[in-house]
Amino acid sequence: MRNIVKSTKKIVSKIKDINGKVLMPAIAATIYTLSNSYMPVFAADNTGSGTDAVTKPLENLKTLIIAIIGAVGLIILAKNVMEFAQAYQQQDSSTMNSALKGIVAGIMMAGISTVLTFLGF
């Protein structure tokens, strides 16, 4: 048992030596290099110099995704309103609770396009 403890202590001391002698200087050198090596970027102005070729498809994709989310939100909203009405007729409180959560989620999804437009996205 003592041999195991001694060998474990030797391994731990070697790891501490490696950590102090190799690992910390390597991390410090990496941080120093990354913080002091930068390259200025000369971006083109937006006067039709070709940046529209990159940004226009991304804008179209963003608009499409937001429209799909809004449409799915309306479908979820309509489904849960009908589910709530049916649960109200049957006086099923757990289904009414679930339907109300779905209605809130549908309203949030349907209104996301308006909120993102208001925020400037």
Side-chain angles (χ1 to χ4, degrees), residues 56-79:
K56 186 66 176 166
L58 293 174
E59 291 289 328
N60 292 341
L61 181 64
K62 178 187 76 168
T63 305
L64 176 68
I65 290 173
I66 290 174
I68 289 172
I69 291 172
V72 170
L74 285 175
I75 292 170
I76 290 173
L77 179 64
K79 175 201 163 279

Side-chain angles (χ1 to χ4, degrees), residues 65-118:
I65 290 173
I66 290 174
I68 289 172
I69 291 172
V72 170
L74 285 175
I75 292 170
I76 290 173
L77 179 64
K79 175 201 163 279
N80 283 301
V81 165
M82 290 186 285
E83 188 177 320
F84 180 78
Q86 186 178 14
Y88 184 75
Q89 287 178 346
Q90 296 175 355
Q91 296 296 318
D92 185 7
S93 62
S94 66
T95 307
M96 286 171 42
N97 187 19
S98 174
L100 284 174
K101 289 178 185 177
I103 288 171
V104 170
I107 289 171
M108 288 173 61
M109 287 178 70
I112 194 71
S113 62
T114 307
V115 171
L116 288 177
T117 304
F118 178 73

Side-chain angles (χ1 to χ4, degrees), residues 14-31:
K14 286 181 182 179
I15 291 173
K16 286 182 181 178
D17 289 342
I18 290 172
N19 190 17
K21 293 180 181 176
V22 176
L23 191 59
M24 293 308 288
I27 291 173
T30 303
I31 291 172

